[in-house]
Amino acid sequence: MAKQIRKKPVRKKIRRKKNPDQKVKYILVAALSLCLGIAAFLIIKDYFGEDETFDSKKYFVKGIDVSHHNPILNWDNVMEQGITFAYMKATEGNDHQDRNYPFNYDLARKSNIKVGSYHFYTFGLSGKEQARHFLKIAKFSAGDLIPAIDVEHSVINTYSKDDKYVSLVIQELKVLEKELYEHFGVHPVIYTNRDCYKLYIKKNFPDNIIWMCDLRNEPSDDFNWRIWQFSHKGEIPGIDGHIDLNYYRYTFSEFKELLLP
């Protein structure tokens, strides 16, 4: 006898009505979470961001450095801010001259700020030719800051760990450094950052004063630094735009180690 097949009863889906109050609650929670996330981001960004003023209670000798990226400054106004020294870009490579350099140098010296000139070292070019170019353009007087060499990566100075490339960068930098040492009788200051220090400077230039750029933390003693560039976003009353800020590590009396005889 055949079995009867019973059909399963069809259950109708019951749609629950959405509670408008619950929907609003979800929207408010999501909006609040977003606001808290943005606020946290801004707080963290500000906390880890660059300082904009000289507010250290540890270092008292203040300095700035300028190039054509900055306007020609009112150096009397700079002096009034308690700034002791200023490095100025004079040259780059073997043919470039900073257009604001001669004006800033003369005006700053008249304001009795200790002035120094620096050369932006270009990788891959002759160190001897770069030294000649710098010595031809840069100005120096007794009591000025020891000349400086800027060693950092850029669009032109590309980063590479290739042994031959690194060796060439160091080789020509040694030539440039030696030329300046023989001319002035003192080793030039070397401006750099953590990456370039490890690649090119460490163990190769033990006699040079180190000017270390670190926009997040005070450099450690491992770098044996004397000048610390701690900000590219400095704000000084009466000066338009951002400016680089620096501290000299020791006292005013020890600051004389940076001066040409």
Side-chain angles (χ1 to χ4, degrees), residues 181-197:
Y181 172 70
E182 290 179 350
H183 182 86
F184 294 102
V186 293
H187 292 282
V189 171
I190 293 180
Y191 167 93
T192 191
N193 52 43
R194 290 174 178 269
D195 288 339
C196 289
Y197 180 86

Side-chain angles (χ1 to χ4, degrees), residues 149-189:
I149 304 172
D150 183 341
V151 183
E152 60 180 308
H153 294 124
S154 66
V155 175
I156 299 174
N157 292 344
T158 56
Y159 174 85
S160 174
K161 285 188 176 181
D162 178 76
D163 290 340
K164 290 184 178 179
Y165 177 84
V166 172
S167 178
L168 178 62
V169 171
I170 295 171
Q171 176 183 322
E172 294 303 324
L173 180 56
K174 284 184 175 180
V175 173
L176 170 59
E177 195 278 340
K178 183 180 178 183
E179 291 287 319
L180 298 189
Y181 172 70
E182 290 179 350
H183 182 86
F184 294 102
V186 293
H187 292 282
V189 171

Side-chain angles (χ1 to χ4, degrees), residues 13-247:
K13 292 183 179 180
I14 301 174
R15 294 183 178 180
R16 295 180 181 177
K17 293 182 179 181
K18 293 182 179 179
N19 186 341
D21 292 335
Q22 191 73 10
K23 186 177 180 180
V24 172
K25 182 180 178 181
Y26 288 147
I27 293 173
L28 289 174
V29 170
L32 180 61
S33 299
L34 179 61
C35 290
L36 289 174
I38 293 173
F41 170 78
L42 292 175
I43 290 171
I44 292 172
K45 184 177 183 295
D46 182 66
Y47 180 79
F48 290 103
E50 300 172 39
D51 290 332
E52 297 179 351
T53 59
F54 293 105
D55 58 1
S56 174
K57 295 181 180 178
K58 183 177 180 181
Y59 302 114
F60 301 100
V61 185
K62 309 170 189 176
I64 60 174
D65 59 278
V66 297
S67 69
H68 66 274
H69 295 293
N70 308 103
I72 297 172
L73 304 185
N74 180 332
W75 288 95
D76 288 332
N77 180 66
V78 174
M79 188 71 176
E80 290 171 1
Q81 308 306 315
I83 293 171
T84 303
F85 67 96
Y87 267 107
M88 303 172 183
K89 181 179 179 180
T91 53
E92 178 177 340
N94 56 16
D95 60 2
H96 174 77
Q97 176 181 353
D98 190 277
R99 62 178 177 268
N100 288 349
Y101 170 72
F103 306 103
N104 276 324
Y105 178 90
D106 291 339
L107 292 171
R109 275 201 115 246
K110 290 177 182 177
S111 297
N112 293 321
I113 289 177
K114 293 301 181 183
V115 178
S117 305
Y118 76 85
H119 172 78
F120 187 92
Y121 172 59
T122 302
F123 299 178
L125 295 182
S126 163
K128 194 161 191 174
E129 289 183 8
Q130 293 190 64
R132 287 175 179 172
H133 177 53
F134 178 65
L135 293 173
K136 179 181 177 181
I137 300 298
K139 300 181 179 184
F140 302 98
S141 299
D144 280 359
L145 299 169
I146 296 171
I149 304 172
D150 183 341
V151 183
E152 60 180 308
H153 294 124
S154 66
V155 175
I156 299 174
N157 292 344
T158 56
Y159 174 85
S160 174
K161 285 188 176 181
D162 178 76
D163 290 340
K164 290 184 178 179
Y165 177 84
V166 172
S167 178
L168 178 62
V169 171
I170 295 171
Q171 176 183 322
E172 294 303 324
L173 180 56
K174 284 184 175 180
V175 173
L176 170 59
E177 195 278 340
K178 183 180 178 183
E179 291 287 319
L180 298 189
Y181 172 70
E182 290 179 350
H183 182 86
F184 294 102
V186 293
H187 292 282
V189 171
I190 293 180
Y191 167 93
T192 191
N193 52 43
R194 290 174 178 269
D195 288 339
C196 289
Y197 180 86
K198 292 174 183 177
L199 279 171
Y200 317 118
I201 311 304
K202 187 178 181 180
K203 297 180 181 180
N204 293 307
F205 299 92
D207 299 319
N208 299 79
I209 291 173
I210 300 300
W211 175 7
M212 180 62 67
C213 173
D214 194 320
L215 306 179
R216 292 291 179 266
N217 302 296
E218 177 183 309
S220 69
D221 290 337
D222 296 338
F223 301 108
N224 194 28
W225 60 278
R226 291 291 189 278
I227 307 173
W228 171 26
Q229 184 187 80
F230 64 91
S231 179
H232 290 161
K233 297 181 179 179
E235 295 185 357
I236 297 177
I239 296 178
D240 294 330
H242 292 144
I243 197 164
D244 297 344
L245 305 181
N246 305 269
Y247 288 124

